Amino acid sequence: MDLTSQASTLVKIMGGASCYVYDLDDVLAAAGELRSAVPSGSQLYYSLKANPHPAVAGVLAECGFRAEVSSVGELDQARRAGFSAAEAIFTGPGKTEQDLRSAITRGVRTFSCESVNDLRRLEGQAFQAGEPPRVLLRINGLDTGNASGLRMANTSSQFGLTPDDIERALAQARTVRVVGMHFYTISNAQDAQALVNEHLFNLGAAHRLAGEFGIPLDLLDLGGGFASPYARPGSRPDYRALRPAVEAEAARLGLTGTTLAFESGRFLVGGSGSLLTEVVDVKQSRSKTYVVLASGINHLGGMSGLRRLPPASAVFENLTPPQGEPEPVTLVGPLCTPVDILSAQSAMPRPRIGDVLRVPNVGAYGLTASLVGFLGHDAPTEVAMRAGEVVTVGRLRLSREDEQTAGQSVSAQDVARRLQPLLAQHAPAADASAEVSEASLTALRGSGLFGLLVPKSHGGLGGSLRDMAEVATILGAGCVSTAMIWAMHCQQVDAVVRFGPAELRERVLPEIARGECYIASVTSERAKGGDLLTSAEGLVDHGDRLWLERDAPIVTGGLHADAYLVTMRSAPEAPPNRVTLVWADRAAMAVERLRPWDTLGMRGTESVGLNLRGFVPRSAVIGDEGDFRAIALESFVPVGHIGWAAAWLGAARGGLARVASSMRSRERSSVPAAQSDLAQARLAEVRSKLEAVSAYLWQVVAEVEELRSLGRRPDAPATQIHLNTLKVLASTLTYQAIDECVQLVGLNHGYRRDSDLRLESLLRDLRSASLNFSNDRVLVASGVLGLVDTNVQLVARPGFDW
C-alpha cells in the first residue's frame, strides 16, 4: 500500500479519524545503522519507553536487541514482544520494593542502580532471584563540558550516583553482584562528534572509577544519545565515526575484556512512524485561521513540557492535493483546553474539512508520550506495515480496574512465571535431599494454581488443558520435579471434576481451589507394577463404608498430600481389570512410609513407597464401581501424558536456553563459540527435537480439547495412539536434547554438578521420563490399538478428515 496515495482511505477504513502508521522496514534499517555505528560485539538495548508497540518492539527483538525497561508494565510489554527478561536491564530512579520483586520473579537479572537506597532495596529482594542479581552502578556528577543535546547527568539530577556515593553503595552489595557501570549523560545529540566526545569521556571516567573503587568492568553501559528528528521532515544523523573512536580508546585503556552496551529508542523507531489525522473544522477567529484536527496533544506531543519533545512545532503535510496559496494557520486538537496546539504558525494552503494531514517521524515518543487519558477520547488506530503490506491493526485501550477484582485479571501463566525463579532457587536443595521442596509446594498452594482445572463455580480458575500444559512448561523450566508433582495433581483434579459424585465435588473442589488440598496419585502396586488398568488388592465391603489397604511402591509427593486417589480392585474376588477409583482423605488413613526415595533423578518428587489403610465412604467412589477404564481413557491418560510432556518440554527448553545464552556470552571462552559451524549444527539438532515435541504437544492438546468441546470421549484408537506417541516422543527427545546439550558445552560446563547451566541434574531428571509409565508398555498398547485403527488416522489439524 502506498502511504501517500492511500492515506485518506487508510484513516477511514481503520474506524477513526486518526491513525499512527509504523513502517517496520524503517525500524530494520535503523537497527542496521546503529549496529554498524557501535563497536563490534557491543550489546544493544532497545528503550521501550520510545514505543512499546508489539510489532515495532518485536522487530527489534528478532534482530537480537535486548530490552531496557523502567517499569514492570514495560517489562511485560517487552516479554510479549519477544524479548528475554533474563537479558533485559531494569533502570530508573524510583524502583520500589514491589517493582524489584516483580521484576525478579519475571526473570530479570540485571539492574541499573541509581542510589544507595536503590541498591539497598535490591539487596532486600535478592533472596528471590535464585542467583545473585547483576548490578550496574549508574554514574552521575562528572563534568564533560559538552553542551550538545539534553543533559541527563553531570548536573544536579535524580539520576545516578555521584563519586562520593560510590563507596557507600558498594558497601551495600553483599548478596548482589556488581558487574559494571551505567552512564546515560546525554539524549538526542544531533551533533555526531559531540556524541562521540561524550562516550569517549565516559569510557575514560569508567576506567578511572573502576581503578579507584575496585569496581569490576565486565559490562559497561555507555547509554545512548542517538538522535532522530521529531514531528518534522529529516533523517537520522550519521554516527559511523563512533565505532573506530570508541574501539581505539577502549584498546588504549586496556578494556578489551569489557563488554560495551548502548541503548537507543528514538534513533531506532523515530523515523518509522507517521500520524495521520483528519481535519474536523476550519474557522476564522479575529485575524487567525484555526485548523481543528481529530488529533491533539492527547495523540501527539503531550510530554513537550519535559523538554524531550518540541512544543507546538509539528510540521504537517497535507496528503490531499492542496488548493490555494500558502497562508499562516494554527493547527489545534479537539480538546477543551487552550494548550492543545500542535503547530502555532504553519504556512500552508488552507486545508479543507475532511483533508488528511500527516506528521512524519513520530515513531518514538508519539502515542505513548501523549496525554492519552485526558478527556477520554479514543486513542488513534495503530497500523504496522512491512514491505508495503499491513501487518497488524490495533488500538490502545485504557480501562479502570477495581482493586478488589484486580488480581482476577492475572493469568495462570503469569502466576507461573512469577513462581518459576523461586522453584529454580529451591530445586538444587530438593535434588540434594531427595525431598519435596516445602517452599515451592507452599508457593504453589498460595498461587491458586492448584485450582487451575477447578470450575469457576467452585472457586477455581476454570482453566483449559492448554492452560495446564502452558503452566506445566513454565514450571518445568524452574523445577521439573515440582512441575511433575503439580501436573499429577491436575490429573487427579480433572478426574474429580469429570467423574466425582456431586457431594464429593461440593466438598473438596473449593478446598482444592484455595490451595488447601493437594492430591497424590496411588496407581502403582507392588504385585503388578505400574499397569494402570489392573489391580491386585481389592476393596472390602463394610456396608456404607469400604476398607482400603494398599501397598504402593511409588507415590509422587505422597508424604505431603492432603488426599489420595487410589485404584483398587472393586472387590477381593473381582477380576484384576475390575478397577475402582476412590478418594481417600489423608486424615482418614493410616499412612506408613515403606521405602526411601534415593534415585538418580526426579529426586525432588520424593516418590516414596507408602502403605495406606483406612475406611472410605461409598460416596468417595469416583465414577462407576469397577469402571476405572473409562476414567483412565478420558481423564488420566490425556491429562497425564499432556502434563508430563509439557513439564519435560519446559525443563529441556530451559536447559537449551541456558546453553544458548552461555554460547553467546564472551565470558565463557571454553564453550564452543556460537559462530562455529559445528556448534551451530549441534544447536540446531537440539532445537529440532524440542520443536518436534512442542508441535506434537500442542496438536494433541487441540485434538483432545476439540473432542471435549463436542462432548466426545478421547477414547478412539487413533486419539489414544496420539496420546501415547506424545508420551514416547516427549520422554525420548527431551532427554536426547539435554544429552546433546551436555556434549555441546563439554565436560566442564555440561557434566559438573556445580555448573550454573544445571544440565547434570536435568540429564538425570529426564532420564526417568521414559521409565515413568514405561515406554515399552505404552508402545505395546499403541501397537494393539494400531491393529484396530485400520485407517491410520495420523495426528492432524482438529476436524481434518483423512
Side-chain angles (χ1 to χ4, degrees), residues 69-143:
V69 299
S70 298
S71 72
V72 175
E74 275 194 342
L75 174 59
D76 288 342
Q77 290 171 323
R79 291 164 62 210
R80 284 192 288 270
F83 291 97
S84 164
E87 294 182 342
I89 181 171
F90 200 105
T91 66
K95 297 184 285 288
T96 66
E97 291 182 0
Q98 179 61 47
D99 290 334
L100 295 169
R101 185 160 51 249
S102 297
I104 288 171
T105 57
R106 284 162 167 79
V108 175
R109 291 294 172 263
T110 305
F111 295 83
S112 171
C113 284
E114 309 262 1
S115 69
V116 175
N117 287 329
D118 199 12
L119 189 54
R120 186 179 294 123
R121 279 190 290 269
L122 182 59
E123 275 282 334
Q125 301 302 320
F127 73 94
Q128 298 187 67
E131 60 185 64
R134 291 159 35 102
V135 169
L136 299 180
L137 299 179
R138 182 163 178 179
I139 305 300
N140 188 6
L142 303 173
D143 186 10

Side-chain angles (χ1 to χ4, degrees), residues 423-424 426-437 440-441 444 450 472-489 518 555-558 597 599-607 643-644 646-648 650-652 761-762 764-766 768 772:
L423 268 57
H426 294 286
D431 180 68
S433 65
E435 296 176 346
V436 169
S437 167
S440 296
L441 191 62
L444 278 173
F450 269 2
T473 61
I474 297 167
L475 298 179
C479 175
V480 67
S481 290
T482 305
M484 288 291 286
I485 288 172
W486 179 82
M488 294 182 73
H489 165 82
Y518 156 53
V555 182
T556 297
W597 179 247
T599 54
L600 187 67
M602 288 294 182
R603 295 169 60 81
T605 63
E606 197 179 351
S607 300
W644 299 342
W648 298 330
S761 61
L762 192 52
R764 290 187 284 106
D765 287 338
L766 291 177
S768 73
N772 180 38

Side-chain angles (χ1 to χ4, degrees), residues 665-719:
S665 172
R666 293 171 55 179
E667 300 172 3
R668 296 185 174 276
S669 57
S670 61
V671 176
Q675 289 76 21
S676 161
D677 288 346
L678 178 59
Q680 290 178 347
R682 285 183 172 175
L683 196 67
E685 288 178 359
V686 175
R687 177 67 178 261
S688 66
K689 287 179 170 60
L690 300 190
E691 291 283 3
V693 174
S694 180
Y696 203 90
L697 168 64
W698 303 120
Q699 200 65 42
V700 171
V701 168
E703 179 179 349
V704 174
E705 285 199 323
E706 182 187 46
L707 290 171
R708 285 187 167 189
S709 70
L710 297 173
R712 294 164 52 189
R713 292 185 173 182
D715 57 359
T719 300

Side-chain angles (χ1 to χ4, degrees), residues 118-458:
D118 199 12
L119 189 54
R120 186 179 294 123
R121 279 190 290 269
L122 182 59
E123 275 282 334
Q125 301 302 320
F127 73 94
Q128 298 187 67
E131 60 185 64
R134 291 159 35 102
V135 169
L136 299 180
L137 299 179
R138 182 163 178 179
I139 305 300
N140 188 6
L142 303 173
D143 186 10
T144 66
N146 195 346
S148 176
L150 175 64
R151 305 307 303 159
M152 295 289 290
N154 306 338
T155 183
S156 177
S157 168
Q158 71 267 43
F159 299 110
L161 296 150
T162 66
D164 294 338
D165 296 327
I166 292 175
E167 193 167 352
R168 287 195 302 130
L170 289 172
Q172 293 293 322
R174 294 180 293 272
T175 58
V176 302
R177 185 161 65 99
V178 176
V179 297
M181 283 178 261
H182 180 199
F183 291 79
Y184 205 116
T185 55
I186 191 171
S187 181
N188 201 25
Q190 301 285 341
D191 184 337
Q193 188 56 51
L195 185 64
V196 171
N197 295 341
E198 193 84 14
H199 286 314
L200 293 179
F201 178 88
N202 289 333
L203 196 64
H207 177 259
R208 186 172 64 257
L209 292 172
E212 182 178 350
F213 293 100
I215 304 171
L217 273 185
D218 299 334
L219 178 62
L220 175 57
D221 186 345
L222 291 172
F226 305 99
S228 181
Y230 180 79
R232 57 181 174 80
S235 57
R236 294 179 287 270
D238 185 343
Y239 293 113
R240 283 178 291 182
L242 180 65
R243 171 183 277 195
V246 172
E247 286 180 341
E249 181 67 359
R252 187 186 72 80
L253 296 171
L255 299 179
T256 53
T258 298
T259 297
L260 298 180
F262 296 87
E263 308 164 30
S264 179
R266 71 175 77 242
F267 182 89
L268 290 168
V269 301
S272 71
S274 297
L275 173 63
L276 310 182
T277 182
E278 278 191 323
V279 175
V280 176
D281 200 0
V282 179
K283 60 179 293 186
Q284 196 76 23
S285 178
R286 301 183 186 272
S287 61
K288 288 188 175 181
T289 301
Y290 288 88
V291 178
V292 183
L293 305 173
S295 289
I297 57 174
N298 58 331
H299 294 174
L300 179 70
M303 280 179 60
S304 59
L306 300 183
R307 299 186 296 120
R308 295 182 66 83
L309 307 177
S313 60
V315 177
F316 287 82
E317 172 193 3
N318 194 336
L319 298 183
T320 309
Q323 294 181 358
E325 295 299 319
E327 61 177 282
V329 297
T330 299
L331 295 138
V332 301
L335 307 181
C336 296
T337 170
V339 301
D340 190 16
I341 299 174
L342 296 181
S343 184
Q345 281 288 3
S346 286
M348 62 190 308
R350 181 179 296 200
R352 295 154 298 183
I353 295 174
D355 283 1
V356 176
L357 307 188
R358 170 179 177 261
V359 187
N361 289 323
V362 288
Y365 304 108
L367 180 59
T368 49
S370 300
L371 304 179
V372 183
F374 187 53
L375 287 183
H377 286 271
D378 281 342
T381 302
E382 293 177 282
V383 182
M385 301 181 69
R386 195 165 186 173
E389 299 294 329
V390 173
V391 177
T392 64
V393 178
R395 188 192 298 273
L396 180 68
R397 300 284 187 189
L398 298 180
S399 61
R400 180 164 280 107
E401 192 174 61
D402 187 334
E403 285 292 331
Q404 294 181 338
T405 60
Q408 298 176 8
S409 64
V410 179
S411 71
Q413 291 83 344
D414 282 339
V415 172
R417 290 185 186 99
R418 295 176 187 177
L419 287 178
Q420 187 190 85
L422 184 142
L423 268 57
Q425 177 185 352
H426 294 286
D431 180 68
S433 65
E435 296 176 346
V436 169
S437 167
E438 291 280 8
S440 296
L441 191 62
T442 299
L444 278 173
R445 287 182 181 275
S447 70
L449 292 180
F450 269 2
L452 177 66
L453 297 184
V454 174
K456 291 182 179 179
S457 58
H458 288 86

